[in-house]
Amino acid sequence: MTETSAGGFSAQEREAMASRAAELRAQGRSTDKRASGLKAVLERIEKMDEPDRALALKVHELVTGVAPQLMPKTWYGMPAYANEQGKVVVFFQDAGKFKSRYCTLGFQDVAHLDDGPMWPTSFALTQWTPGVESVLRGLVGSAVS
């Protein structure tokens, strides 16, 4: 659990908001958004501690392989992948980001995962296995269909 300051936001939450503001400034200056987004994602992954870094790299490889049309970018300081309108479809949050016990793979509302009146939009991720890869491959494929 993160400690909140008198202002109501934890240090990690304030850092995420500052990261988002910096991302928006950088996106506005960039002429090659795909290259700058990819660079930002890879730099963010490199800063992660193990085993989060290894999971993030596997997620990155899977998303860019299954959905190459998605644009890599950082989103609130997290690796994310956006559609052609710039809307984040899928993101990865390392456990170290908010000092949680697991990494999270999440999908935003533009992901096509609808399944009746209720469906999951985020998943705890603790290790990479063939079964995990298979499930995530299907989810990412559905998300962009």
Side-chain angles (χ1 to χ4, degrees), residues 4-90:
T4 58
S5 68
F9 292 107
S10 69
Q12 293 86 2
E13 290 166 330
R14 286 191 304 278
E15 181 184 331
M17 290 184 286
S19 293
R20 182 66 181 138
E23 291 160 5
L24 291 171
R25 285 190 301 275
Q27 287 172 9
R29 292 189 301 260
S30 176
T31 56
D32 184 350
K33 296 197 185 312
R34 180 168 292 277
S36 65
L38 177 59
K39 181 177 185 258
V41 163
L42 294 175
E43 285 174 353
R44 176 63 182 103
I45 291 171
E46 185 60 34
K47 290 178 184 175
M48 293 176 191
D49 293 330
E50 289 296 345
D52 296 1
R53 182 183 313 126
L55 287 172
L57 283 171
K58 290 289 193 180
V59 167
H60 175 73
E61 291 167 4
L62 184 133
V63 172
T64 56
V66 171
Q69 69 272 33
L70 294 180
M71 178 91 60
K73 64 188 272 182
T74 54
W75 183 63
Y76 294 97
M78 297 177 283
Y81 305 85
N83 64 17
E84 55 277 351
Q85 289 82 34
K87 302 285 186 182
V88 170
V89 176
V90 60

